[in-house]
Amino acid sequence: MPPSTTPEKAADPGLPQATFRFRCIGCATVTGSAAQDFRCSQCGNLLEITDSSWNSRNPAALKSLWRERRTLNAALDLSGVWRFRELLPAPQSEEQVITLREGNTPLYELPQSSRATGVTRLFAKHQGMNPTGSFKDAGMTVAATFARQAGYSWVACASTGNTSASMAAYAARGGMRSLVLVPEGKISWSKLSQSLDYGALTCQLRTDFDGCLRLLQELVKRAPVYQLNSINPFRLEGQKTLAFELLEQLDWDPPDHIIVPGGNLGNSSAIGKALLEMRDLGLIARLPKLSIIQAEGANALVRTLREAAGKHLVSVLAETRASAIRIGNPASWEKAVKVLQATEGACEQVGELEIAQAKAEIGAEGIGCEPASAVTLAGLKKLLQQGFVEPDETVVLVLTGSLLKDPDFTMEFHRGDLFKNTAVEAESARLNPLRHPPVVLNATLEAVLKTLEQAEKSDRTRSNI
Ligand code: F0G
């Protein structure tokens, strides 16, 4: 029987029965439990979560149930993740759920970028508006819940900064300890400081992200810690809700394109999984194309597709100022390849100048984002040039992290230092009109008035160009 749509019934926050299973993405073996590395015991490939009950739901009833929950105040209904619990793995009880009221993120129009690119229906789904400032929270509420339910007192992750901030917060809320492995000197202070405040045991390892992740795989075999990287399929289940919520915000009329940044490739895999599940269930009538954008200096998936036709991973030694996606050996590359094929999306790369420009342009819209998120706008410009995206199509950029996540990048950009002593230093001068460096003045009225006058004059000159 489909769920009732009356408010009284929707107020019932009961969880569905736990009927989910683990399925290998390689050999399709289905099992009831997963080992600590979340890999198939038969072929070693990654596991995903599947649940036969998902396909038996009534799509119209689900839509109205989810909408009604937005007016309710029960903890599970206030979460923009658990509001969609009919299509998530179910914990044993509501009390198990660790939530910070994640999700419920805004879908913004981007009028200036829309004018500049010619794409009239251009939106940003801003996952940086989550409790710890990134999309990771949507996955973490689910994975941390299952970690505690399984009886773990320690959770652990390797991270470029956002996963660790999110994990530390959810562990703290759930009364668990957390162990963070981050590459020393290669993540932003802002992210690192979050995990300190949330009480994590934070280890800065003298390696890169890929080295941290490798070490974590060894560690979970030796110590009773539960890994919360996106290899953990519960993370991806929570991250699916980004797509459910997006479609709800678009009144279930699918956009033509969704564009996401690609790092370890968990998020693109999660969004793709959600799109396919929504299509199979009849929540949407057609699939958006899901495209993945990487930084040129961390372009493992781009190379995997171009040089190996998606058959095996081409790893790279990653280098980019978009430190969140400085990843050379992405764990979920096979899931991402499948999603690109299923949705007929594109995979592109963008340079450091293009990233900095796009980030400043998103900032100028009054919303801002961190550098890794800005690859989406830079990627859109490339996909338009290639004719893959048409200006009359509807495009959604997924902004994955808040502007406040990487203040060093922003300050260096506006001060004009970001590209000093790099190969693109001379070329970076073309971004000068986007810079707004702080002005240091004597504390006098005259000094401020004069500066204001000069700013008005240069605004007029610019608008006459
Ligand atoms: N954008 C931001 C802001 C990120 O923090 C990440 C990944 C990505 C995009 C890429 O997402 O890995 O799912 O393809 N950050 C991870 C971390 C690796 O440790 O915080 P992905």
Side-chain angles (χ1 to χ4, degrees), residues 94-418:
E94 201 190 322
E95 289 69 42
Q96 294 286 354
V97 173
I98 307 169
T99 172
L100 287 164
R101 317 292 185 260
E102 51 291 316
N104 297 315
T105 59
L107 183 67
Y108 292 121
E109 272 142 9
L110 296 175
Q112 297 183 41
S113 302
S114 188
R115 272 195 298 279
T117 57
V119 177
T120 43
R121 283 175 54 80
L122 176 60
F123 299 95
K125 175 74 175 152
H126 206 328
Q127 294 298 92
M129 301 296 177
N130 265 296
T132 75
S134 85
F135 72 98
K136 306 289 182 179
D137 296 341
M140 210 52 80
T141 180
V142 177
T145 293
F146 279 91
R148 186 167 69 172
Q149 180 175 296
Y152 283 92
S153 50
W154 278 92
V155 290
C157 73
S159 182
T160 55
N162 280 327
T163 299
S164 46
S166 181
M167 178 188 76
Y170 281 83
R173 291 297 288 184
M176 293 180 286
R177 297 293 318 276
S178 60
L179 170 69
V180 161
L181 305 181
V182 290
E184 201 222 345
K186 292 180 184 144
I187 78 164
S188 95
W189 287 115
S190 172
K191 299 174 188 180
L192 190 68
S193 65
Q194 285 182 284
S195 71
L196 304 184
D197 234 31
Y198 300 138
L201 170 56
T202 305
C203 302
Q204 296 179 273
L205 304 185
R206 294 189 192 92
T207 178
D208 54 11
F209 168 82
D210 300 294
C212 292
L213 190 57
R214 255 193 315 273
L215 202 142
L216 180 68
Q217 301 315 303
E218 294 305 311
L219 182 81
V220 295
K221 289 183 202 150
R222 300 275 296 275
V225 298
Y226 185 81
Q227 80 156 308
L228 285 178
N229 275 94
S230 55
I231 293 170
N232 182 321
F234 291 105
R235 283 266 315 276
L236 302 199
E237 289 304 302
Q239 287 172 212
K240 286 191 322 193
T241 57
L242 178 164
F244 301 155
E245 191 174 80
L246 168 65
L247 266 295
E248 186 181 62
Q249 287 165 320
L250 293 172
D251 294 325
W252 302 100
D253 183 15
D256 298 292
H257 296 274
I258 299 176
I259 303 182
V260 281
N264 214 19
L265 301 174
N267 203 31
S268 37
S269 303
I271 297 169
K273 186 171 189 282
L275 295 175
L276 295 167
E277 286 172 4
M278 280 192 281
R279 196 258 330 256
D280 292 349
L281 179 52
L283 282 166
I284 52 173
R286 65 187 169 84
L287 278 178
K289 292 188 167 91
L290 181 71
S291 293
I292 302 174
I293 312 296
Q294 297 196 297
E296 267 170 20
N299 61 352
L301 184 65
V302 174
R303 292 190 54 184
T304 294
L305 292 163
R306 293 185 188 169
E307 295 166 28
K311 299 269 189 286
H312 63 84
L313 176 67
V314 179
S315 305
V316 300
L317 204 59
E319 194 41 75
T320 168
R321 282 300 304 260
S323 60
I325 50 173
R326 193 190 278 146
I327 294 171
N329 198 24
S332 294
W333 68 273
E334 262 184 284
K335 288 186 179 178
V337 168
K338 282 176 195 283
V339 155
L340 285 174
Q341 285 165 350
T343 69
E344 296 175 7
C347 183
E348 252 309 333
Q349 57 186 346
V350 290
E352 297 293 299
L353 282 178
E354 294 166 289
I355 296 172
Q357 176 173 350
K359 180 179 170 311
E361 288 165 350
I362 294 167
E365 301 268 9
I367 57 174
C369 64
E370 69 166 286
S373 309
V375 302
T376 54
L377 178 59
L380 167 64
K381 294 177 199 171
K382 272 204 158 161
L383 297 178
L384 277 163
Q385 273 167 14
Q386 295 164 2
F388 183 79
V389 175
E390 302 281 351
D392 62 352
E393 291 183 307
T394 303
V395 179
V396 176
L397 310 178
V398 178
L399 303 184
T400 44
S402 155
L403 168 68
L404 299 176
K405 284 286 193 172
D406 197 345
D408 283 352
F409 184 107
T410 309
M411 290 304 294
E412 284 180 45
F413 174 78
H414 288 288
R415 288 197 165 126
D417 296 337
L418 190 62

Side-chain angles (χ1 to χ4, degrees), residues 23-36:
R23 180 175 55 205
C24 172
I25 63 154
C27 68
T29 298
V30 175
T31 53
S33 61
Q36 251 298 284

Side-chain angles (χ1 to χ4, degrees), residues 411 414-415 436-444 446-452 454:
M411 290 304 294
H414 288 288
R415 288 197 165 126
H436 306 287
V439 187
V440 181
L441 297 174
N442 287 332
T444 66
E446 268 128 69
V448 178
L449 281 171
K450 200 164 150 218
T451 308
L452 187 61
Q454 280 167 351

